[in-house]
Amino acid sequence: MTEYPTALGAASRERITLLGTDLADDVMGTVGFGELAFWLATQRRPTPGETRLFEAVLAALADHGFTPTAIVTRLTYLSAPDSVQGALAAGLLGGGSRFLGVTEDCGRFLHENLGDGPVDEIALEVVRREKAAGRFVPGLGHHVHKDGDPRTPRLYAIAEEEGLVGPHLELFAAIGRVHPQVLGKTLPLNGAGTCGAVLADLGLPLELLRGFALLARTAGLIGQLAEELRNPVANEIFLSVDLNNKPVPPQPN
């Protein structure tokens, strides 16, 4: 008989095991969801400090107002109120390079540019290279928080308090210090990018960093739907477009 080994969830007639523990006796009511999510991804139980920092990342990414992901979730629910899963999925599918995806983009970018030597010199070389190539540095700048993203200093403070400032956060901070020399202007380190640096320093799989952003945003989208039930705005958003369309002649490519 073929066997499929797993250290995750497994069930028998009498019990359910998860990560080598008894789900009912050892996990439920004992392990918080953030701690469990970290544990599931790494198959090692995080320290209290790691849990605190990881959950701070989840809180930072949970909701950021009427972003495209929130709007599409509300509009999908308006169109198909019988499909909560469809509404949530619609919002999550919008997690890409402009919203949410920067968490993974920044974590990967920092990891690829870690090196030996003074960190500010490495950061300066990185920013110069990206500018010369006509590329943006992931995590640098924000369309709203132009004078500083309030999530960023808080994440750095928690990481410092827990002794978890690692090479990714150090490089990102250095980019924040040196980039005005190259770009001629000062841009904030955005919270989503800082989250990517944190997750990379925590040793979470780089390939899954966007997944943690989506995990956090799922909670936010449930909140958006809950608020839509109490105070609906989706129909007004829909009508504001539908009733204000402007017919124009065809414009062939």
Side-chain angles (χ1 to χ4, degrees):
M1 179 182 296
T2 303
E3 294 183 335
Y4 301 93
T6 178
L8 302 179
S12 67
R13 186 165 181 169
E14 297 81 18
R15 67 196 293 257
I16 303 171
T17 59
L18 182 65
L19 297 161
T21 67
D22 186 284
L23 175 65
D25 293 340
D26 301 326
V27 179
M28 295 171 60
T30 302
V31 179
F33 183 70
E35 180 181 0
L36 181 60
F38 187 109
W39 195 357
L40 286 165
T42 62
Q43 297 199 10
R44 69 171 183 86
R45 192 163 184 176
T47 66
E50 288 174 327
T51 299
R52 181 185 178 217
L53 185 55
F54 179 67
E55 291 184 345
V57 167
L58 297 182
L61 296 173
D63 186 78
H64 209 197
F66 284 109
T67 59
T69 59
I71 293 170
V72 73
T73 290
R74 289 188 184 233
L75 290 175
T76 302
Y77 187 74
L78 172 68
S79 181
D82 53 319
S83 180
V84 171
Q85 69 273 25
L88 292 174
L92 295 177
L93 288 170
S97 58
R98 293 187 178 178
F99 290 88
L100 291 178
V102 70
T103 295
E104 180 175 316
D105 295 342
C106 187
R108 283 177 173 268
F109 177 82
L110 294 170
H111 191 76
E112 291 166 358
N113 287 285
L114 296 179
D116 298 323
V119 68
D120 280 28
E121 291 183 12
I122 296 172
L124 199 55
E125 179 182 345
V126 166
V127 177
R128 284 173 175 159
R129 184 195 66 219
E130 295 305 298
K131 181 183 179 183
R135 295 188 295 259
F136 294 109
V137 175
L140 192 58
H142 195 281
H143 68 290
V144 175
H145 305 301
K146 297 184 182 299
D147 299 317
D149 190 321
R151 298 170 295 178
T152 296
R154 181 58 178 153
L155 286 167
Y156 270 95
I158 294 171
E160 185 71 36
E161 290 166 9
E162 300 298 341
L164 293 170
V165 176
H168 300 87
L169 280 169
E170 289 176 349
L171 178 56
F172 199 42
I175 288 173
R177 289 191 296 269
V178 307
H179 77 270
Q181 301 176 42
V182 180
L183 303 183
K185 58 183 177 180
T186 300
L187 298 172
L189 299 178
N190 66 53
T194 308
C195 287
V198 168
L199 295 174
D201 274 346
L202 287 172
L204 292 158
L206 296 175
E207 299 85 354
L208 299 181
L209 297 192
R210 188 175 300 188
F212 297 110
L214 296 175
L215 172 66
R217 188 51 56 91
T218 299
L221 295 180
I222 291 172
Q224 291 284 336
L225 289 179
E227 186 173 79
E228 183 67 20
L229 291 172
R230 294 190 299 270
N231 300 299
V233 299
N235 195 57
E236 186 175 344
I237 293 172
F238 157 60
L239 291 177
S240 71
V241 177
D242 188 53
L243 299 180
N244 291 284
N245 68 80
K246 178 183 177 181
V248 297
Q251 300 173 352
N253 291 330

